[in-house]
Amino acid sequence: MVASPVFGLWSNYRPRKEPLIISLSISVAANCLYAYVHVPASHNKYYMLVARGLVGFGAGNVAVIRSYIAGATSLQERTSSMANTSACQALGFILGPVFQTCFALIGEKGVTWDTIKLQINMYTAPVLLGAFLGVLNIILILILLREHHVDDSGRQCKNVNFEEASTDEVQVLQGNIDQVAVVATNIVFFVILFIFALFETIVTPLTMDMYAWTREQAVLYDGIILAALGVEALIIFMGIKLLSKKIGERAILLGGFIVVWVGFFILLPWGNHFPKIQWEDLHNTSIPNTTFGEIIITLWKSPKEDHNEGPTGCPIGQAWCFYTPMIHLAQFLTSAVLIGIGYPSCNVMSYTLYSKILGPKPQGVYMGWLTASGSAARILGPVFISQVYTSWGPRWAFSLVCGIVMLTIILLGVVYRRLVAFSVRHGRIQE
């Protein structure tokens, strides 16, 4: 959240290679620090926190990447390029847990390289892979990345990021950016990230409370569901490229929010069936610390053991468990599918429209603020849903979410006509 505007500002005045390489170098160093966090004799947890904090700081380069894509594509190319970027990001979210599961087979002890005091186990292998991929990205940037900037029509423009100038370049078009549209798009982006972050957070405690799943079952089944949503998102990203040419980005954005609203509305409890009550408090409303890979190893080693850690169901400490109907599994799965359709649609359309509203000028700082708003949403979303769900139950939690989404839909309706490209607004290009 802090790094995105900083790297964005940097990319406005210097070649984009610089913030990209520096941010990746920070991430590589942070991952290496995490791999060696066992070496110091004390204060290991503080070293670990520093390592994870630096990884988050390095991730601020997302603003630079989106700014580069916005500046290197015409209006006609923008949606497709942004969708491809989102698809690659979604693929990373899918493959990440898969790699973690594979690395879990190494075990907690793993192997030790005594010469450099490096332990390779199920905890350090993922970060070592991350460090390797970071180095690979740095090499690719140095070899392949070239500064390129065009206007909304696709004509090459002069820009401070260029290493060389040519005589056939055109000047960047002048004009004021619609700040109302900018603020509205930041709010929309915040809401969509807020919604998905809270959905990811609530999946595990919700399924444990409603269906009396054990921790192992919840992590396994919910992991499968979230992986399926990742695959669904890939399909949506590819379909958006075609659909946007027919109905436009604004219509897809509005339609995506309507689908998300329907998804959360379906999650509202109804009927006469109530969840099973857990008479012994297991504190299962928090996210389990056990990783998916650890569970697979346990099941592999002891397939015949009973892994039920104790009573399951809705904890007696949550008063709403006694009077709130359960959310049927069909409700939950239908809702997940709808949210899996609406979220990727809104996500890619929001920052695609944002980049078009900003126009051909350098967008680093603006993209930094957009990324920062998304980061804030991912912080606040889990806090909000955890507190409301635990205290008041799913009926209040999802009703409030429906209210937030509805207010966002109303906001979109109010600013709908202002969400147009910079060149269209100034009459230089026909919409």
Side-chain angles (χ1 to χ4, degrees):
M1 187 168 68
V2 175
S4 294
V6 174
F7 287 132
L9 179 64
W10 188 350
S11 71
N12 276 1
Y13 296 100
R14 296 289 301 169
R16 295 184 180 93
K17 284 184 178 181
E18 293 180 7
L20 287 175
I21 291 174
I22 294 300
S23 60
L24 286 169
S25 299
I26 292 173
S27 295
V28 170
N31 283 322
C32 292
L33 174 60
Y34 187 91
Y36 279 96
V37 78
H38 65 281
V39 174
S42 61
H43 305 299
N44 305 78
K45 61 182 179 182
Y46 298 113
Y47 289 110
M48 183 179 69
L49 287 173
V50 170
R52 303 323 292 164
L54 288 174
V55 167
F57 192 87
N61 58 19
V62 173
V64 182
I65 295 168
R66 289 175 180 163
S67 174
Y68 179 87
I69 295 171
T73 56
S74 65
L75 291 182
Q76 288 73 25
E77 301 167 328
R78 190 78 48 81
T79 302
S80 177
S81 299
M82 290 292 190
N84 289 337
T85 304
S86 296
C88 292
Q89 193 174 24
L91 184 62
F93 288 144
I94 295 170
L95 294 179
V98 173
F99 280 118
Q100 183 181 9
T101 301
C102 294
F103 289 138
L105 299 175
I106 300 175
E108 293 188 7
K109 187 175 181 180
V111 295
T112 302
W113 191 350
D114 292 325
T115 306
I116 56 176
K117 297 182 179 180
L118 177 63
Q119 291 183 359
I120 303 176
N121 53 40
M122 61 186 292
Y123 303 113
T124 60
V127 296
L128 292 173
L129 176 63
F132 170 76
L133 293 177
V135 172
L136 183 61
N137 276 333
I138 292 173
I139 294 172
L140 291 175
I141 288 171
L142 289 171
I143 296 175
L144 300 178
L145 185 66
R146 295 292 180 268
E147 297 293 347
H148 182 63
H149 188 73
V150 298
D151 65 8
D152 287 346
S153 299
R155 298 173 299 177
Q156 186 167 302
C157 296
K158 284 187 177 181
N159 189 276
V160 69
N161 304 106
F162 275 91
E163 296 166 354
E164 296 179 358
S166 64
T167 57
D168 60 343
E169 292 171 342
V170 298
Q171 295 292 333
V172 175
L173 298 177
Q174 300 300 314
N176 294 325
I177 296 172
D178 188 347
Q179 297 296 335
V180 173
V182 167
V183 173
T185 311
N186 271 276
I187 294 172
V188 167
F189 190 71
F190 174 89
V191 171
I192 192 59
L193 268 293
F194 181 87
I195 294 301
F196 194 72
L198 66 84
F199 180 74
E200 284 183 314
T201 302
I202 205 60
V203 163
T204 298
L206 177 69
T207 52
M208 292 175 69
D209 291 347
M210 292 293 152
Y211 315 124
W213 288 353
T214 63
R215 292 188 178 186
E216 288 85 354
Q217 289 174 319
V219 175
L220 176 60
Y221 299 153
D222 294 338
I224 293 171
I225 291 170
L226 292 176
L229 292 183
V231 175
E232 181 186 15
L234 283 175
I235 298 172
I236 297 298
F237 287 136
M238 295 300 102
I240 278 175
K241 296 195 292 184
L242 301 175
L243 188 60
S244 63
K245 295 178 181 178
K246 296 183 178 181
I247 66 174
E249 290 90 354
R250 292 180 297 177
I252 294 176
L253 179 61
L254 183 59
F257 269 103
I258 293 173
V259 172
V260 169
W261 183 88
V262 173
F264 278 102
F265 183 80
I266 290 174
L267 268 181
L268 294 176
W270 58 273
N272 298 318
H273 297 281
F274 296 87
K276 173 187 173 183
I277 301 298
Q278 177 194 128
W279 295 103
E280 180 180 339
D281 188 7
L282 291 181
H283 305 288
N284 71 344
T285 54
S286 61
I287 304 302
N289 292 324
T290 310
T291 65
F292 179 62
E294 289 174 311
I295 292 168
I296 293 296
I297 286 182
T298 306
L299 294 172
W300 178 270
K301 291 181 177 179
S302 308
K304 295 183 180 180
E305 291 181 10
D306 181 12
H307 296 281
N308 191 350
E309 298 178 352
T312 57
C314 204
I316 191 174
Q318 296 177 165
W320 56 263
C321 294
F322 293 96
Y323 57 82
T324 303
M326 73 176 294
I327 298 171
H328 299 278
L329 184 59
Q331 278 181 268
F332 173 71
L333 294 177
T334 303
S335 172
V337 170
L338 291 174
I339 294 171
I341 293 172
Y343 166 72
S345 304
C346 295
N347 186 37
V348 68
M349 286 301 102
S350 57
Y351 57 75
T352 298
L353 277 171
Y354 189 70
S355 69
K356 292 185 176 183
I357 291 167
L358 296 177
K361 296 180 181 179
Q363 299 184 6
V365 174
Y366 281 101
M367 283 294 179
W369 288 119
L370 186 75
T371 305
S373 69
S375 299
R378 296 191 69 87
I379 295 171
L380 297 176
V383 175
F384 167 83
I385 197 65
S386 298
Q387 294 298 318
V388 176
Y389 175 82
T390 303
S391 302
W392 298 340
R395 178 171 286 162
W396 270 102
F398 299 136
S399 294
L400 289 174
V401 172
C402 285
I404 292 171
V405 176
M406 181 56 67
L407 288 175
T408 308
I409 292 173
I410 294 172
L411 172 64
L412 280 174
V414 172
V415 301
Y416 192 84
R417 293 182 178 275
R418 306 186 73 137
L419 301 179
V420 294
F422 179 90
S423 296
V424 173
R425 177 170 172 263
H426 290 279
R428 299 183 176 102
I429 293 179
Q430 285 293 113
E431 188 172 14

